[in-house]
Amino acid sequence: MLDVMLSVPTQALIGGTWRDAESGRRFDVRDPATGHVVASVSDCGAAETRAAIAAADEALASWSAMPAAGRAAILRRWADLMIERVDELAPVLTRENGKPLTEARGEILYGASYLHWFSEEATRAYGDVIPAPASDKRIIVTKAPVGVCAAITPWNFPNAMLVRKAAAALAAGCTLVAKPAAETPLSALLAAATGLEAGLPPGVFNIVPGVDAAAIGGVLTSSEVVRKLSFTGSTEVGRKLLAQCAPTVKRVSMELGGNAPFIVFDDSDLDAAVDGLMASKFRNAGQTCVCANRVFVQNGVMAEFASRLAERVATLTVGHGDRSGTDIGPLISEAAFAKIERLVSDALAGGARVLTGGGKHPAGDLFYQPTVIDGITADMAVMREEIFGPVAPLAGFETEADVIALANATEYGLAAYVYTRDLGRAWRVGEALAYGMVGINEGVLSSAAAPFGGVKQSGFGREGSRYGLDDYLEIKYMLMGGLSA
Ligand code: NAP
């Protein structure tokens, strides 16, 4: 065990109390950069999940009745504490996820920004008075919290994916039971500990770590007490959870996989496009849902763009996220590494060409070289599957209509990026892309002020912005009659 882990909570948080699994079982959390065990965490299952749901149910009445300003004050304190503690929280995140320390710090601050944002939105859950069809009646609309909610979150942003759900849910007056990814439970548990310290009452935020995701998810989705599930993860698991939520007719938000097109027109500022692609593609070693997955470059600028990009990518420093100057950490698992090898070798077999990288990096078993390949065609697996690694595949295109068709030829619809200096084209293409989010001359889209989410099989629901609160609120209509004198 490493010293940095000694003060990290490793039990479930249920009803404000840290608890071991009833079975006494624990599971190991490993540093993907070294394979070393960095902590051992309570391995919870169905029993603890049921207890957490009961605790969230018990806490619901008083939390939802608390004036919004009271909930807001706690969320604000929680954000401030996360910011104050960023230098304690970030190394833990790097240790379990592998991302460079600067990115881990960025993630904690990003998570905190949602707490700040929703602390303000909490006080603005306005209702409405609608003109009634009769003079002795009034139509009144109020917003009510959905109730007990569940969150299931992935390993790639172990703090922020959880905190941005919690921020909106708790601001709305809901209570929450969360299941973090088994690879990265520590950042989630630390976030929960910080929330408790900020004054969250017992039972408002419960967290159940464990390796049996199907058992925990089964209880969360089948419970009649849980009124909403918010899931971030793969489309494959999202589909299963949607089906499991059907019998109890739960509200559902799905933040699923992506296959983002990154389009570079020949009129674009090529340096800005290279900067944007570096930011979009190589953050978190290419393991983000909004990572550029398919890079479409207009044929007139392909040679120039490819050479500038390959030159930049070759300067990236690969290594342990703890080391200063590291740009690219390890992939999360052997399966993730094997997938990248498969996608690259399939592309090369189909006639693609490596411009830089293209194989394992000597830093360790799970490190892959930052890679650029060109000569990519639409039928290759690298264009159809979510890569989730530091590989940028370049494909040429001729016309605006061609690239819109290519970009939309996927079941995913999360993020897309367009580089052009032609204002009309920016609007035309931006509107024609079937995606929930479009960056125009921008490679990084996400912010607490903006609605994050996808269309098609990338899911539905939005996180962040004023729309994000609606996901946790029910519209309630009251008709007041008998007003005539
Ligand atoms: P994943 O395999 O779907 O896992 C996500 C979460 O679901 C984890 O907590 C996992 O638990 C849990 N899970 C797995 N099987 C389950 C089941 N049968 N019942 C209940 N829970 C279950 O996805 P991942 O590989 O961790 O994350 C990468 C994916 O997330 C990518 O597709 C990425 O695009 C997507 N993502 C989307 C967004 C977005 O906002 N749209 C953001 C980030 C990531 P265990 O870890 O314990 O298996």
Side-chain angles (χ1 to χ4, degrees):
M1 300 267 177
L2 297 160
D3 289 342
V4 71
M5 292 300 168
L6 293 178
S7 60
V8 174
T10 58
Q11 295 162 296
L13 177 64
I14 298 174
T17 306
W18 296 100
R19 290 202 215 164
D20 278 322
E22 279 179 19
S23 65
R25 278 198 305 269
R26 303 183 75 80
F27 66 98
D28 289 339
V29 178
R30 289 177 189 274
D31 178 346
T34 60
H36 295 158
V37 173
V38 294
S40 148
V41 172
S42 298
D43 185 8
C44 300
E48 294 77 16
T49 309
R50 279 192 286 271
I53 293 171
D57 195 26
E58 200 181 323
L60 181 65
S62 57
W63 180 249
S64 59
M66 184 186 283
R71 295 198 299 270
I74 295 172
L75 294 182
R76 224 168 20 245
R77 265 202 303 281
W78 187 2
D80 292 344
L81 273 179
M82 273 182 28
I83 294 167
E84 258 172 60
R85 307 262 168 85
V86 64
D87 289 327
E88 292 163 43
L89 303 182
V92 175
L93 205 164
T94 288
R95 195 64 69 165
E96 64 179 347
N97 166 283
K99 68 176 64 176
L101 203 48
T102 45
E103 288 189 26
R105 291 182 94 259
E107 180 181 337
I108 304 290
L109 301 179
Y110 173 71
S113 75
Y114 282 87
L115 289 167
H116 272 151
W117 177 269
F118 282 109
S119 73
E120 294 169 356
E121 287 300 313
T123 58
R124 294 179 195 136
Y126 300 133
D128 217 350
V129 181
I130 299 174
S135 58
D136 67 337
K137 301 185 200 312
R138 298 290 182 271
I139 292 173
I140 297 159
V141 174
T142 56
K143 303 274 180 71
V146 166
V148 174
C149 296
I152 300 180
T153 52
W155 50 265
N156 63 346
F157 288 89
N159 171 287
M161 292 302 99
L162 175 60
V163 171
R164 79 178 180 185
K165 292 186 193 308
L170 272 45
C174 300
T175 57
L176 193 66
V177 178
K179 189 211 98 61
E183 291 94 337
T184 56
L186 304 175
S187 297
L189 293 166
L190 267 177
T194 319
L196 267 193
E197 209 179 318
L200 285 179
V204 168
F205 184 26
N206 307 276
I207 180 153
V208 185
V211 294
D212 192 347
I216 298 171
V219 173
L220 291 174
T221 50
S222 63
S223 164
E224 292 195 353
V225 173
V226 174
R227 291 312 319 142
K228 177 191 165 93
L229 169 71
S230 178
F231 172 70
T232 298
S234 61
T235 297
E236 189 190 349
V237 173
R239 282 190 198 105
K240 276 192 209 160
L241 294 174
L242 267 175
Q244 286 175 216
C245 286
T248 50
V249 194
K250 279 189 204 341
R251 288 269 295 264
V252 184
S253 297
M254 291 277 148
E255 299 283 348
L256 307 177
N259 183 1
F262 188 104
I263 302 169
V264 182
F265 283 101
D266 55 12
D267 61 28
S268 45
D269 173 342
L270 284 195
D271 286 331
V274 170
D275 286 348
L277 184 57
M278 295 300 293
S280 162
K281 177 73 247 184
F282 292 98
R283 201 158 49 103
N284 203 11
Q287 302 171 109
T288 85
C289 53
V290 291
C291 268
N293 209 61
R294 297 169 292 156
V295 186
F296 296 111
V297 185
Q298 204 158 14
N299 289 331
V301 291
M302 174 59 104
E304 182 60 24
F305 181 82
S307 113
R308 287 195 210 181
L309 178 69
E311 208 174 292
R312 278 284 292 284
V313 171
T315 66
L316 291 173
T317 303
V318 179
H320 196 295
D322 271 355
R323 276 192 214 119
S324 95
T326 294
D327 299 304
I328 303 282
L331 296 170
I332 191 69
S333 63
E334 281 169 21
F337 189 90
K339 178 178 185 187
I340 304 303
E341 286 199 310
R342 171 176 63 78
L343 293 178
V344 171
S345 59
D346 170 82
L348 298 184
R353 193 170 58 118
V354 172
L355 302 184
T356 187
K360 187 172 176 163
H361 189 279
D365 287 349
L366 300 185
F367 290 86
Y368 199 88
Q369 292 173 327
T371 295
V372 181
I373 39 183
D374 74 355
I376 297 293
T377 52
D379 54 322
M380 291 176 180
V382 78
M383 295 293 263
R384 286 183 278 107
E385 297 181 33
E386 199 175 15
I387 301 171
F388 248 56
V391 175
L394 309 186
F397 72 91
E398 205 55 56
T399 68
E400 189 179 305
D402 289 347
V403 80
I404 290 169
L406 284 164
N408 286 342
T410 168
E411 72 268 27
Y412 293 108
L414 191 59
Y417 307 88
V418 184
Y419 277 74
T420 175
R421 280 185 287 203
D422 177 329
L423 191 57
R425 170 174 275 166
W427 274 101
R428 282 192 307 276
V429 178
E431 289 179 354
L433 288 169
Y435 288 82
M437 299 177 280
V438 181
I440 296 173
N441 298 320
E442 287 292 338
V444 177
L445 282 163
S446 186
S447 120
F452 190 102
V455 299
K456 293 162 73 177
Q457 293 186 40
S458 288
F460 44 80
R462 292 294 179 269
E463 293 189 328
S465 81
R466 70 187 163 89
Y467 306 107
L469 198 67
D470 293 339
D471 274 20
Y472 294 90
L473 291 170
E474 299 282 12
I475 289 176
K476 183 161 193 170
Y477 148 55
M478 287 187 284
L479 177 64
M480 190 173 288
L483 300 187
S484 47

